[in-house]
């Protein structure tokens, strides 16, 4: 029953996210070299360098101070850093590492940023649902189908993603990437509690929290909070198991007496 509830909620939320990103007027253009900032960064990574493949204006480079705020906006790229005659994207590189560069290497073309944001947000939602289900298992909690559906649905719509999908640009991609990485980090962390493969799950959690920092540096705080929470949850679960084990032993001894 729980799998059926999860599947139905996932389909509903996924359709809502897809509708949300398309309703804002964002189309998916496949098989092209696109002009999104993360498309540029992914293209640069795919070619083995950190700068984006945009040639700065010769007029800009000829200026004594090309960083002067008074310079004509038509000569420069907004939200990029000019260094040694190259443009660099100063937003987090995490989304380019996760999606855009691999897509470019596999297909030879750019991934539409609007579809990338949908993937990151929907993937983050699925990981957050997995983390919730794992915590419920650790707590031996078994909510009914309606309550479980409400909890999962709240994870999908009672947060920032519905607003994030209204506009797709470099800022939203970085935020969506951070959401995906934090959610997956929490999921792997929860899976590591009480698992025989604890080291592998915790290594995966550390990797994803590291990528979250690569998307949005302040998300390192979210990772620290998650680790502390997981440590306390693990201790609580260990205490519950010890009490249960003691009760079983007492019951057996009482039965013998």
């Amino acid at each position: 029953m729980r799998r059926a509830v999860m599947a139905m909620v996932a389909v509903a939320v996924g359709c809502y996210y897809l509708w949300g990103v398309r309703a804002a007027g964002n189309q998916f253009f496949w098989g092209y070299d696109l002009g999104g900032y993360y498309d540029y960064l992914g293209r640069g990574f795919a070619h083995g360098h950190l700068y984006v493949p945009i040639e700065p204006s010769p007029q800009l480079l000829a200026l004594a101070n090309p960083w002067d705020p008074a310079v004509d906006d038509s000569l420069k790229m907004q939200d990029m850093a000019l260094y040694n005659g190259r443009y660099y994207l100063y937003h987090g590189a995490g989304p380019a590492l996760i999606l855009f560069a691999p897509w470019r290497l596999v297909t030879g073309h750019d991934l539409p940023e609007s579809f990338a944001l949908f993937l990151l947000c929907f993937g983050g939602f699925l990981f957050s649902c997995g983390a919730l289900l794992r915590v419920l298992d650790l707590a031996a909690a078994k909510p009914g189908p309606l309550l479980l559906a409400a909890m999962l649905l709240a994870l999908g719509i009672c947060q920032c993603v519905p607003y994030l999908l209204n506009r797709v640009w470099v800022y939203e991609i970085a935020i969506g990437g951070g959401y995906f990485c934090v959610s997956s980090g929490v999921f792997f962390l929860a899976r590591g509690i009480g698992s025989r493969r604890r080291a592998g799950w915790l290594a995966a959690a550390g990797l994803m929290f590291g990528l979250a920092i690569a998307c949005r540096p302040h998300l390192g705080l979210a990772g620290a909070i998650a680790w502390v929470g997981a440590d306390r949850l693990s201790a609580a679960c260990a205490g519950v198991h010890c009490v249960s084990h003691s009760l079983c032993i007492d019951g057996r001894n009482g039965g013998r007496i």
Side-chain angles (χ1 to χ4, degrees):
M1 176 61 72
R2 192 170 76 166
R3 291 183 178 180
V5 171
M6 176 64 205
M8 288 188 292
V9 173
V11 170
V13 172
C15 291
Y16 173 61
Y17 284 2
L18 191 61
W19 171 83
V21 77
R22 294 297 299 271
N26 300 300
Q27 300 182 16
F28 303 150
F29 296 101
W30 305 101
Y32 296 97
D33 292 342
L34 304 173
Y37 276 27
Y38 274 105
D39 288 315
Y40 287 134
L41 188 59
R43 208 179 305 166
F45 285 178
H47 286 86
H49 51 75
L50 300 178
Y51 58 85
V52 299
I54 298 177
E55 292 294 332
S57 169
Q59 295 94 327
L60 179 66
L61 297 178
L63 296 175
N65 182 14
W67 302 279
D68 189 342
V71 172
D72 188 354
D73 287 342
S74 65
L75 298 179
K76 55 187 178 182
M77 294 292 296
Q78 301 295 329
D79 292 315
M80 287 191 182
L82 180 65
Y83 178 72
N84 283 345
R86 300 287 189 182
Y87 276 122
Y88 294 84
L89 186 65
Y90 56 74
H91 293 271
L97 292 172
I98 297 170
L99 274 181
F100 291 90
W103 183 276
R104 180 75 189 190
L105 289 171
V106 171
T107 67
H109 299 288
D110 290 334
L111 176 66
E113 285 189 333
S114 53
F115 190 73
L117 183 60
F118 162 73
L119 289 179
L120 291 171
C121 291
F122 186 56
F125 163 71
L126 293 179
F127 273 119
S128 64
C129 290
L132 172 63
L133 295 178
R134 175 59 178 169
V135 170
L136 291 175
D137 288 340
L138 291 171
K142 297 181 179 180
L146 291 180
L147 178 58
L148 179 61
M151 295 168 70
L152 296 173
L153 193 61
L155 287 176
I157 62 177
C158 297
Q159 36 111 332
C160 69
V161 168
Y163 302 96
L164 201 64
L165 297 173
N166 286 327
R167 190 190 76 161
V168 180
W169 206 35
V170 60
Y171 311 105
E172 288 75 20
I173 298 295
I175 296 170
Y179 169 59
F180 172 82
C181 293
V182 168
S183 296
S184 57
V186 171
F187 169 75
F188 292 133
L189 196 57
R191 290 291 301 175
I193 299 175
S195 173
R196 295 181 179 179
R197 300 178 180 178
R198 177 182 176 87
W201 288 117
L202 295 185
L207 174 62
M208 297 314 297
F209 284 129
L211 287 172
I213 296 174
C215 294
R216 302 282 288 180
H218 68 279
L219 290 178
L221 179 61
I225 294 174
W227 280 100
V228 173
D231 184 63
R232 293 186 177 181
L233 180 60
S234 179
C237 291
V240 171
H241 291 160
C242 288
V243 171
S244 300
H245 184 63
S246 299
L247 291 175
C248 290
I249 293 176
D250 290 343
R252 291 176 182 176
N253 291 337
R256 291 176 182 176
I257 293 174

